Amino acid sequence: MSPRKRLNKKSSSAMKMLGAQVAAFRRAAGYTQRSLAERIVADEETIASIEQGRRPLKEDLAKTLDELLDTKGALSVGVDNMPEIDLFPLWAEQFLDHEREAIVLSSYQNQVLPGLLQTEAYAREVFCNRVPAFDRDEIEIKTAARIDRQEILHRKVPPTINYVIWEPVFRLPIGGREVYADQIRHLRTCAELPGLSIQFLPLHRATHAGLDGPFILLETPDHQHLAYNETQRGSQWVSDPDEVSILARKYAMLRSQALTPEDTRGLLGELLGEQ
């Protein structure tokens, strides 16, 4: 086992231990997850994720909880002594934080299928295609982390999600025939999830509003609207209302130019019939 893999397992255990401490301190102070979330103006799912070790406790929140729960700085000390988690670079961690909390996600993709819709085999093949190559342990760690993100699709109250995906992405047989067929079947299943819709943007369109590349729009629990652009070697957060508005208008046009979710489900069935 590589040192990096050991590090991430240790980090995962440490997150669960610190999360269990948050839960114990919360109960001792007489709060439910919901009442604590309301008190600190956060989402209940955020508290649940931290307590279950699925989400790291950040320094500023640890200080707030230390004061509110009268924990004598114990949570802040825990955060300061957490092992480094290096599954994702900082800019990606920031996106994942917003993705976990988002009440609305809208995404245009023209390269690969969105991470939240990928099967384990497809995700593994995406990471295997990376240049320079990841080592085998790193591929497995990143694949598992991507699949873990998909828990938001199955929450009791999932976010509202819409994807517009360019036709070549649907047809690119990443991983070969079997992986591709399983991925298309998975997409058809995902298309039936509550609050989730997938729209196919046909290749035959002479023009469309996504020529500048992929992007993601998010709405936070406090109704802040953000946008996110990921590039080859980094990313860009967009929070300026005027700039977010431009991307929102592009996305609205893309939805009107794409097939309906119903027609897209029919197309997925046709793609499966081609196998």
Side-chain angles (χ1 to χ4, degrees):
M1 184 181 295
S2 72
R4 177 168 289 194
K5 192 167 186 179
R6 286 196 298 269
L7 173 62
N8 280 285
K9 283 194 170 182
K10 182 177 180 183
S11 296
S12 177
S13 298
M15 284 172 58
K16 290 179 180 178
M17 181 179 69
L18 189 57
Q21 290 178 328
V22 171
F25 287 136
R26 169 182 59 76
R27 287 191 291 267
Y31 287 97
T32 63
Q33 289 180 345
R34 174 174 294 183
S35 63
L36 180 60
E38 291 174 349
R39 181 69 185 273
I40 64 174
V41 193
D43 188 68
E44 184 179 353
E45 178 59 30
T46 298
I47 303 300
S49 295
I50 290 171
E51 292 185 357
Q52 293 165 21
R54 294 186 283 110
R55 175 189 181 124
L57 177 62
K58 298 298 181 67
E59 184 178 357
D60 54 349
L61 181 55
K63 290 180 179 178
T64 298
L65 293 176
D66 276 332
E67 294 177 5
L68 181 60
L69 304 179
D70 193 25
T71 56
K72 316 300 183 189
L75 296 177
S76 295
V77 170
V79 170
D80 288 343
N81 288 277
M82 279 284 291
E84 279 298 318
I85 301 173
D86 61 353
L87 278 176
F88 307 101
L90 179 60
W91 51 266
E93 283 283 2
Q94 292 171 343
F95 168 71
L96 295 179
D97 283 346
H98 285 295
E99 182 184 72
R100 292 185 193 102
E101 294 182 344
I103 60 173
V104 180
L105 282 166
S106 304
S107 174
Y108 168 63
Q109 297 297 323
N110 66 357
Q111 296 165 328
V112 295
L113 292 170
L116 293 181
L117 301 182
Q118 293 178 10
T119 65
E120 183 175 342
Y122 183 100
R124 184 176 291 108
E125 290 295 329
V126 170
F127 289 122
C128 283
N129 276 278
R130 193 254 199 179
V131 177
F134 290 127
D135 66 47
R136 292 181 182 274
D137 287 335
E138 196 164 10
I139 288 171
E140 292 306 314
I141 291 169
K142 290 182 178 294
T143 299
R146 176 158 293 180
I147 299 306
D148 285 347
R149 286 168 52 200
Q150 298 175 6
E151 62 85 20
I152 71 172
L153 303 180
H154 306 286
R155 291 175 183 167
K156 185 176 180 180
V157 182
T160 300
I161 302 177
N162 174 262
Y163 291 108
V164 174
I165 305 171
W166 195 37
E167 178 178 350
V169 178
F170 283 102
R171 297 188 182 276
L172 187 63
I174 290 178
R177 180 180 295 270
E178 184 175 346
V179 170
Y180 175 73
D182 286 345
Q183 177 63 69
I184 297 299
R185 280 192 288 268
H186 181 66
L187 286 177
R188 193 164 60 175
T189 299
C190 288
E192 302 294 338
L193 291 173
L196 191 152
S197 64
I198 302 171
Q199 294 182 249
F200 178 103
L201 183 65
L203 183 60
H204 64 69
R205 291 199 62 90
T207 60
H208 66 76
L211 295 178
D212 289 336
F215 60 93
I216 300 171
L217 299 169
L218 304 96
E219 182 178 348
T220 69
D222 60 355
H223 306 298
Q224 181 182 11
H225 293 266
L226 302 169
Y228 177 80
N229 296 315
E230 188 171 336
T231 63
Q232 288 274 344
R233 300 297 299 157
S235 71
Q236 177 188 14
W237 274 108
V238 181
S239 58
D240 178 82
D242 290 337
E243 295 298 320
V244 174
S245 174
I246 290 172
L247 290 173
R249 281 178 274 168
K250 287 189 178 192
Y251 197 78
M253 185 64 72
L254 281 166
R255 290 198 67 178
S256 72
Q257 295 168 338
L259 299 185
T260 66
E262 293 76 18
D263 287 343
T264 297
R265 287 195 292 270
L267 177 70
L268 292 173
E270 292 178 16
L271 290 175
L272 285 171
E274 295 173 0
Q275 302 306 304

